Every structure is written in structure tokens, then in C-alpha cells.
Amino acid sequence: MTIPIPAPHGAFLQARRASFGDPMAHAIPSHITLLPPTEVRGSDLAAIVEHLRDVARTESPFPIRLRGSGTFRPVSPVVFVALAEGIGGCERVQAKVLSGPLSRPLPFPYHPHVTIAHHLPDDVMDQAFKELAGYSADFEAWGFSLYEHGPDGVWRPEYDFVFGADDSGVTGPGRQPVV
């Protein structure tokens, strides 16, 4: 479950991730994670989709401001673009998503961010940190997406959940409506 980074910012950050040699750059669209990869049974999907629709229905769009870079090293080999605004909105939505049928403990405290380098040599991680230290982008979080991990290793959005959507269904840009 993620908040997608919209164009042109998402494509730019994905290209930067690829430029650092991150092998996952083309398999994972740029995003802010709400729930890390979670395996679910197909029979549970309908309840999960209904839960996510309920979460989205109670929320409103909120601004996201990306500013500069950060890292989780030495705890985790990740360099990321930081959020300067929208942290509280992400935390609120994440807490709601991580309830009901998706309730589970997480291995780390939640820290919204956009990964730009992961499991790369230290000098490359340092380069990514430096090159994106001055990065900035502003956009509105319109909702969130449920992704599926394909057999080819690529994560693709399957459903979009639009904040504040009514009972007529949840739709998103070019995805399956959730009705």
C-alpha cells in the first residue's frame, strides 16, 4: 500500500534511482509506503479492499512536500528523499490502513519517505545522498494504491483508493474501480 509519487516527480526519482544502479529501480514505482509488502490470501482480498475503501472514504487530500535526502544507515542500507510536509497525514492514513484485516506488527517504526537507493555500495549511497540533498517537489496526496507483485518481480498498482470518495465507488487514474 503506497501513496504514489505523481508525474513528473515520480518518473524523475525513479530515473535517479536507476542512475545509481539500484536493480529495483524499474520494478518499484516511486512511492511513500503505507504498508510494506504483505502476503495475503486471495480469499481475504474482498475484506481488505472494503477496509481500504473505508479508510480512504474518511480521509481528505493533503499536501506533500519532498525536501532533501536522508538515510537509515547504519540500521538499514537505505537513502531516501525526505518529507518536509505531509508526515502527519501519512502517519494518520498508515495507522488506519494497519488495522482490521491488515493489523500486524512492523519491524521498524513508521517513517514516511521515498527510497532512492537501497542495498548499494557505500560510495554509491553517499553519492545518492549528496546528489538529492537539494531536491524538492510539492504535490497533493489524492489517495493511495494497492500494488501486486507480479511474477516478473515488478510491483504494479491494482487498485486506487481516492480520499473522500463516496459509495459510488473508488477509482483512480487508469486502474480498476473498487466498487
Side-chain angles (χ1 to χ4, degrees):
M1 214 73 48
T2 76
I3 295 174
I5 307 300
H9 315 298
F12 173 80
L13 291 173
Q14 194 166 10
R16 295 301 295 143
R17 186 171 181 173
S19 77
F20 300 126
D22 190 320
M24 298 307 293
H26 298 293
I28 305 172
S30 299
H31 66 278
I32 300 166
T33 299
L34 295 171
L35 178 69
T38 302
E39 192 169 324
V40 299
R41 293 189 308 255
S43 59
D44 293 337
L45 186 58
I48 290 168
V49 166
E50 185 60 30
H51 166 67
L52 296 173
R53 179 168 40 183
D54 290 344
V55 169
R57 196 179 288 141
T58 66
E59 289 292 326
S60 296
F62 58 90
I64 299 280
R65 176 169 288 149
L66 302 177
R67 293 289 185 271
S69 57
T71 185
F72 294 130
R73 295 184 296 171
V75 175
S76 182
V78 174
V79 173
F80 57 86
V81 170
L83 272 71
E85 184 178 354
I87 294 170
C90 290
E91 289 173 338
R92 185 181 60 250
V93 174
Q94 186 267 350
K96 290 178 181 180
V97 165
L98 197 64
S99 66
L102 294 173
S103 180
R104 69 179 189 135
L106 295 179
F108 298 104
Y110 181 65
H111 184 275
H113 65 280
V114 182
T115 299
I116 53 169
H118 190 219
H119 284 293
L120 298 174
D122 282 338
D123 62 325
V124 176
M125 300 286 271
D126 292 342
Q127 177 188 357
F129 183 87
K130 289 175 188 167
E131 288 187 17
L132 287 160
Y135 180 76
S136 67
D138 296 341
F139 60 92
E140 184 172 82
W142 54 264
F144 56 88
S145 298
L146 170 65
Y147 286 70
E148 182 175 2
H149 193 229
D152 59 358
V154 175
W155 289 91
R156 292 181 182 85
E158 290 295 315
Y159 298 100
D160 288 336
F161 300 88
V162 179
F163 293 147
D166 62 18
D167 287 336
S168 65
V170 179
T171 60
R175 313 275 195 269
Q176 299 179 32
V178 177
V179 292

